[in-house]
Amino acid sequence: MGKGIFAICAMLIMFVTSAAFATPGSQFFDPNTKKWVSYGPSYGGKSPIRRKKVSYKGPYSAGTIVVDTEERRLYHVLPGGKAMKYGIGVGKDGFQWSGTHRITRKAEWPGWTPPPQMRARERAKGRILPAHMKGGPNNPLGARALYIGSTLYRVHGTNQPWTIGSAVSSGCIRLANEDIIHLHKNVSVGSKIVVKR
């Protein structure tokens, strides 16, 4: 009898624990399409804005990453007049920027070292950021990162996919983890990146 009760208790604990960590999907309003779109669970998760291959007639050559801050989309230019288009989160007001750089480093499950300015800003709001956070599923940089020139900025993943399509960051460009993994595989160190406002 004792073993049976123990087994039932163990199963109940497993059920409650898994339910606590299971987060349902929700909806997000895409200001570009003016439609509500559904997205998956918050942990890892899919982007509320599905990536797709599109025609591209812009001035940039294949291999270039073009970030359109206003549209909140990133284009990875492909050969043959095509581009892979991703939904992104961009810098909030006062943190948006523009420029042309190169990708200087790629990382898988990158660690996060918040810059001193960010730590000071957050401290003033009563929030203490770590000096460094080891890479992993709970890290704000998500599954992959592309480092932009000598700037403090990166194109990186996020464990908050519902923020894609919004102006939410301190200047970095964020993609859902699924999308940054896809982009990371197809971008080389040295690739040009153009950030437009």
Side-chain angles (χ1 to χ4, degrees):
M1 173 118 175
K3 288 183 183 178
I5 291 173
F6 178 80
I8 290 170
C9 288
M11 287 171 47
L12 185 59
I13 288 168
M14 284 173 43
F15 173 77
V16 169
T17 305
S18 63
F21 286 105
T23 50
S26 191
Q27 288 192 320
F28 176 86
F29 186 74
D30 181 355
N32 292 299
T33 63
K34 307 284 191 267
K35 293 180 182 174
W36 287 92
V37 290
S38 298
Y39 59 85
S42 62
Y43 177 84
K46 293 180 180 290
S47 174
I49 301 164
R50 186 173 298 207
R51 72 173 179 261
K52 60 183 175 181
K53 192 179 280 190
V54 297
S55 294
Y56 178 77
K57 295 184 169 80
Y60 301 105
S61 60
T64 305
I65 298 168
V66 182
V67 174
D68 189 322
T69 303
E70 187 176 344
E71 186 188 2
R72 297 179 187 167
R73 297 295 186 270
L74 179 150
Y75 295 83
H76 183 219
V77 183
L78 305 173
K82 300 286 184 187
M84 188 61 71
K85 180 180 178 181
Y86 303 84
I88 56 174
V90 299
K92 53 195 169 194
D93 286 343
F95 291 89
Q96 294 180 4
W97 58 281
S98 61
T100 300
H101 296 277
R102 297 274 174 188
I103 298 300
T104 49
R105 185 162 85 87
K106 294 169 57 174
E108 298 187 13
W109 294 108
W112 180 46
T113 303
Q117 313 90 297
M118 179 186 285
R119 294 181 70 205
R121 271 195 320 271
E122 294 301 315
R123 192 179 307 113
K125 299 177 199 171
R127 183 171 175 229
I128 305 302
L129 295 182
H132 179 77
M133 186 176 189
K134 191 175 167 185
N138 295 321
N139 190 299
L141 297 187
R144 304 287 185 273
L146 305 172
Y147 291 76
I148 303 173
S150 59
T151 73
L152 295 173
Y153 305 120
R154 294 165 290 270
V155 177
H156 64 77
T158 181
N159 52 16
Q160 300 174 323
W162 61 87
T163 63
I164 302 304
S166 303
V168 290
S169 79
S170 294
C172 285
I173 309 303
R174 38 168 98 164
L175 289 81
N177 280 337
E178 180 181 79
D179 284 346
I180 191 63
I181 289 169
H182 185 268
L183 179 64
H184 182 273
K185 275 194 273 187
N186 293 293
V187 169
S188 303
V189 170
S191 296
K192 181 191 281 190
I193 178 165
V194 180
V195 179
K196 304 190 315 185
R197 286 185 70 182

